[in-house]
Amino acid sequence: MAKIVGRVWKYGDDVNTDVIFPGKYTYTVTDPAEMARIAMEDLDADFAKNVQPDDIVVAGKNFGCGSSREQAAFCLKYAGVGAVVARSFSRLYFRNCINAGLPALTLPESADIFVAGERIEIDLSAGTIQCQAGLFHFPPLPEAVIGIFNDGGLIPHTRKALGIDS
Amino acid sequence: MGKTFAEKVLGQKAGKNVVPGEIVEVKPDIAMSHDNTAAISKTFKEIGVAKIDDPNRHVIVLDHCVPAANEKFAQNHKDIRAFVAEQGIPNFFDIDRGICHQVLPEEGFALPGYLMVGSDSHSTTYGAFGALATGIGRSEMAVIFATGKIWLRVPETMKIIVKGRLPKWISSKDVMLKIMGDLSADGGLYKSVWFTGPAIAEMSVSSRMVLTNMAVEFGAKNGYMEPDDQTLAFLKGRARAPFTVVTSDPDAELESVHEFDVSDLEPLVACPHSVDNVKPVSAVKGTRIDQVFFGSCTNARIEDFEIVAGVMKGKRVHPSCRMVVIPASRQVFLEALAKGYIQILGEAGATIVNSGCGPCMGNHEGILAPGERVLSTSNRNFKGRFGCKDSEIYLCSPLTAAASALTGEISDFREHL
Ligand code: SF4
């Protein structure tokens, strides 16, 4: 797995799915580019305008709490986000990230150690994050889900498992 | 060492002995999806399987924007009806039936010992009937359509014992707000939460559903109660299939045990913008409100109508405030009609609309304008949830909502009864 180098977008605790991808869009916005444009709309109006490929969203505890809506994971992926690092994730958000093929990394020190805007480097295979505050280790993803992640998400993984894609 | 409820249900499905933390691949008994079925069906087609694995496993309920508010929602519903017909899915409920989390129990799909998943976070509701029930994402539902299977992590169990006797007029909503205020919005993260104790035993089945419905609001994977005589009476003549009650062994390992004594519980309110920002009503009373929403899968059942109608009989919604009422299902609506509750609310000046989610996730029927404030019986007060990010949402019990609709400000019903 590759390295991800990007700038930090820093947020607090309990960032919920409604501010990442507002409920009012769940049945009306489906185009990936449009989804990327409304990512984080009710949390940070500057995010969608300024986010660059491989930028990294860091947050405190319980990131992605609330709805099961997976657009809240996909919209960050479509916006180019390389990874999400949080002290903890809501279980549905974590699942949705895996299913979207977006790295969701749990780091107990997050988000205190990060400075907004700093450039950090994540090494997925080594399980490390290098930032100004030092080198930090995150626990590996559960083995049973790594296969899904490596295949690029749940749908390509399922196609492969069913022998539709080899 | 005994096994917990979650270990037993997932172990049976996986066909082996399982322990918390383990990931298993299982086939759920029931898989629920709603208006998001159109998007799910598109993903299902991307997988490249022509026919769904088992049509009988799926229950589809149109509820999130019913009847359709505009062309996009209408197309969405049309696509779902076409998918249902094409795949021969027997358990389909159209726009006239109600909110999924109310409809599945009413229709006898929520059963003890069942493994139930829904592409909606409040699918935890079915745990009130002794099912292991949890929310999943859309892609995961598409894969269940294709293969019948999903991976799930075996959760640790958190036991919440609710002791004491609830004071008159204090409801299970107040109990749940108390639990979440104390344990915080991630207090139950990833856990299987077992609600038990004398105060739960005394609650009606409908009141118990409030606790399991909101279990996801403090991060739980599932919330459940062990079925008792009340549960079995509810299921009698209603259950769609035979079932076996599953309960935790007395010596099963629990991750934590929390006790709450509710004997002196006050009416509570969750303030913006998080469900654990809980305050006693006395601390926020007098706060002006523009709208009261009496609806949602949390608190719009017949027992709630009885309470609200009782308070509002012969009175008027305050002229500076609107009141939107949405019965949780058509069955609830018809019963409320027969019992005269709809008449009372209509005469009081409430706006009564079709059973469904309404404004609860910002789709239609009571969206707020910037600067407005709603007091709601629903379960989630995140910023923007009622369709406008510059508005405020307070959550409360039906009784607090009714008393406040009459005064146009958050009110302590104990001063008005
Ligand atoms: S009523 Fe609200 S919380 Fe319940 S299913 Fe509908 S949108 Fe979700």
Side-chain angles (χ1 to χ4, degrees), chain B residues 34 63-64 99-101 120 122 213 296-298 356-357 360-361 378-380 385:
Chain B
H34 47 62
D63 60 0
H64 270 56
I99 308 171
C100 54
H101 305 312
D120 186 281
H122 296 103
N213 175 272
S296 91
C297 55
T298 313
C357 301
C360 178
M361 64 169 288
S378 59
N379 47 35
R380 199 166 269 171
R385 179 81 181 173

Short mmCIF file of all heavy atoms in Angstrom, two decimals, chain B residues 34 63-64 99-101 120 122 213 296-298 356-357 360-361 378-380 385, ligand 1:
data_model
loop_
_atom_site.label_atom_id
_atom_site.label_comp_id
_atom_site.label_asym_id
_atom_site.label_seq_id
_atom_site.Cartn_x
_atom_site.Cartn_y
_atom_site.Cartn_z
N HIS B 34 -35.11 1.58 2.52
CA HIS B 34 -36.26 2.48 2.31
C HIS B 34 -36.08 3.25 1.01
O HIS B 34 -35.73 2.66 0.00
CB HIS B 34 -36.47 3.38 3.53
CG HIS B 34 -35.25 4.04 4.07
ND1 HIS B 34 -34.48 4.92 3.33
CD2 HIS B 34 -34.63 3.94 5.28
CE1 HIS B 34 -33.47 5.34 4.06
NE2 HIS B 34 -33.52 4.76 5.25
N ASP B 63 -40.66 5.83 2.87
CA ASP B 63 -41.05 6.67 4.02
C ASP B 63 -40.29 7.99 4.11
O ASP B 63 -40.75 8.92 4.75
CB ASP B 63 -40.83 5.88 5.33
CG ASP B 63 -39.37 5.46 5.55
OD1 ASP B 63 -38.52 5.75 4.70
OD2 ASP B 63 -39.09 4.82 6.58
N HIS B 64 -39.16 8.10 3.46
CA HIS B 64 -38.32 9.28 3.75
C HIS B 64 -38.82 10.57 3.12
O HIS B 64 -38.51 11.65 3.62
CB HIS B 64 -36.86 9.00 3.39
CG HIS B 64 -36.11 8.42 4.53
ND1 HIS B 64 -36.53 7.28 5.17
CD2 HIS B 64 -35.01 8.84 5.19
CE1 HIS B 64 -35.70 7.02 6.17
NE2 HIS B 64 -34.78 7.95 6.21
N ILE B 99 -43.40 4.95 8.67
CA ILE B 99 -41.95 4.94 8.82
C ILE B 99 -41.46 3.50 9.00
O ILE B 99 -42.02 2.74 9.80
CB ILE B 99 -41.51 5.79 10.03
CG1 ILE B 99 -42.13 7.19 9.96
CG2 ILE B 99 -39.99 5.88 10.11
CD1 ILE B 99 -41.93 8.02 11.22
N CYS B 100 -40.40 3.17 8.30
CA CYS B 100 -39.90 1.78 8.29
C CYS B 100 -39.79 1.18 9.69
O CYS B 100 -40.20 0.04 9.92
CB CYS B 100 -38.56 1.72 7.56
SG CYS B 100 -37.30 2.85 8.19
N HIS B 101 -39.23 1.94 10.65
CA HIS B 101 -38.96 1.35 11.97
C HIS B 101 -40.25 1.11 12.76
O HIS B 101 -40.23 0.39 13.75
CB HIS B 101 -37.99 2.24 12.74
CG HIS B 101 -36.74 2.49 11.97
ND1 HIS B 101 -36.04 1.46 11.36
CD2 HIS B 101 -36.07 3.62 11.67
CE1 HIS B 101 -35.00 1.96 10.73
NE2 HIS B 101 -35.00 3.27 10.88
N ASP B 120 -30.24 1.98 7.36
CA ASP B 120 -30.69 3.16 8.09
C ASP B 120 -30.20 3.01 9.52
O ASP B 120 -30.36 1.95 10.12
CB ASP B 120 -32.22 3.26 8.07
CG ASP B 120 -32.69 4.55 8.69
OD1 ASP B 120 -32.72 4.67 9.93
OD2 ASP B 120 -33.01 5.48 7.93
N HIS B 122 -31.17 3.98 12.38
CA HIS B 122 -32.10 3.67 13.47
C HIS B 122 -32.71 2.27 13.38
O HIS B 122 -33.69 1.97 14.08
CB HIS B 122 -33.16 4.75 13.57
CG HIS B 122 -32.57 6.08 13.94
ND1 HIS B 122 -32.37 7.08 13.02
CD2 HIS B 122 -32.04 6.52 15.10
CE1 HIS B 122 -31.78 8.11 13.62
NE2 HIS B 122 -31.55 7.80 14.88
N ASN B 213 -34.33 2.64 19.61
CA ASN B 213 -34.25 3.56 18.46
C ASN B 213 -33.07 4.51 18.62
O ASN B 213 -32.30 4.75 17.70
CB ASN B 213 -35.57 4.34 18.38
CG ASN B 213 -35.57 5.41 17.31
OD1 ASN B 213 -35.17 6.54 17.56
ND2 ASN B 213 -36.01 5.08 16.11
N SER B 296 -41.78 11.26 13.88
CA SER B 296 -40.58 10.43 13.75
C SER B 296 -40.73 9.02 14.29
O SER B 296 -41.67 8.71 15.02
CB SER B 296 -39.35 11.08 14.37
OG SER B 296 -39.23 10.68 15.73
N CYS B 297 -39.74 8.20 13.96
CA CYS B 297 -39.75 6.80 14.41
C CYS B 297 -39.48 6.68 15.90
O CYS B 297 -39.57 5.59 16.46
CB CYS B 297 -38.73 6.00 13.60
SG CYS B 297 -37.06 6.68 13.66
N THR B 298 -39.13 7.79 16.54
CA THR B 298 -38.84 7.73 17.98
C THR B 298 -40.11 7.84 18.82
O THR B 298 -40.35 7.04 19.72
CB THR B 298 -37.88 8.86 18.38
OG1 THR B 298 -36.82 8.91 17.45
CG2 THR B 298 -37.33 8.66 19.77
N GLY B 356 -44.73 9.33 7.68
CA GLY B 356 -43.42 9.24 7.04
C GLY B 356 -42.43 10.02 7.86
O GLY B 356 -42.74 10.42 8.99
N CYS B 357 -41.26 10.27 7.30
CA CYS B 357 -40.21 10.95 8.07
C CYS B 357 -40.40 12.46 8.12
O CYS B 357 -39.96 13.12 9.06
CB CYS B 357 -38.85 10.64 7.47
SG CYS B 357 -38.50 8.87 7.45
N CYS B 360 -37.82 15.33 9.48
CA CYS B 360 -36.84 14.76 10.42
C CYS B 360 -35.43 14.72 9.85
O CYS B 360 -34.46 14.83 10.59
CB CYS B 360 -37.28 13.37 10.84
SG CYS B 360 -36.12 12.58 11.95
N MET B 361 -35.29 14.55 8.53
CA MET B 361 -33.94 14.64 7.97
C MET B 361 -33.87 15.68 6.86
O MET B 361 -33.04 15.64 5.98
CB MET B 361 -33.40 13.30 7.52
CG MET B 361 -34.14 12.66 6.40
SD MET B 361 -33.22 11.25 5.76
CE MET B 361 -31.89 12.05 4.93
N SER B 378 -38.21 13.91 17.80
CA SER B 378 -37.37 12.98 17.05
C SER B 378 -36.08 12.66 17.80
O SER B 378 -35.97 12.93 19.00
CB SER B 378 -37.10 13.53 15.65
OG SER B 378 -36.45 14.79 15.75
N ASN B 379 -35.11 12.11 17.10
CA ASN B 379 -33.95 11.53 17.80
C ASN B 379 -32.62 12.21 17.53
O ASN B 379 -31.60 11.82 18.10
CB ASN B 379 -33.83 10.05 17.40
CG ASN B 379 -33.94 9.87 15.89
OD1 ASN B 379 -33.50 10.71 15.12
ND2 ASN B 379 -34.55 8.77 15.47
N ARG B 380 -32.58 13.19 16.65
CA ARG B 380 -31.27 13.70 16.23
C ARG B 380 -31.36 15.21 16.06
O ARG B 380 -32.27 15.69 15.39
CB ARG B 380 -30.92 13.02 14.90
CG ARG B 380 -29.48 13.05 14.55
CD ARG B 380 -29.18 12.08 13.42
NE ARG B 380 -28.80 10.75 13.90
CZ ARG B 380 -28.67 9.70 13.12
NH1 ARG B 380 -28.89 9.80 11.82
NH2 ARG B 380 -28.30 8.54 13.62
N ARG B 385 -30.10 19.30 10.35
CA ARG B 385 -30.94 18.11 10.24
C ARG B 385 -32.34 18.45 9.74
O ARG B 385 -32.96 17.66 9.03
CB ARG B 385 -31.00 17.43 11.62
CG ARG B 385 -31.86 16.19 11.67
CD ARG B 385 -31.14 14.97 11.14
NE ARG B 385 -32.00 13.79 11.19
CZ ARG B 385 -31.70 12.61 10.66
NH1 ARG B 385 -30.54 12.44 10.05
NH2 ARG B 385 -32.52 11.61 10.75
S1 SF4 C 1 -38.20 9.39 11.16
FE1 SF4 C 1 -36.21 10.42 11.07
S2 SF4 C 1 -34.82 9.12 12.23
FE2 SF4 C 1 -36.65 7.92 11.78
S3 SF4 C 1 -36.16 6.79 9.90
FE3 SF4 C 1 -37.17 8.71 9.30
S4 SF4 C 1 -35.51 10.18 8.96
FE4 SF4 C 1 -34.66 8.46 10.11
#
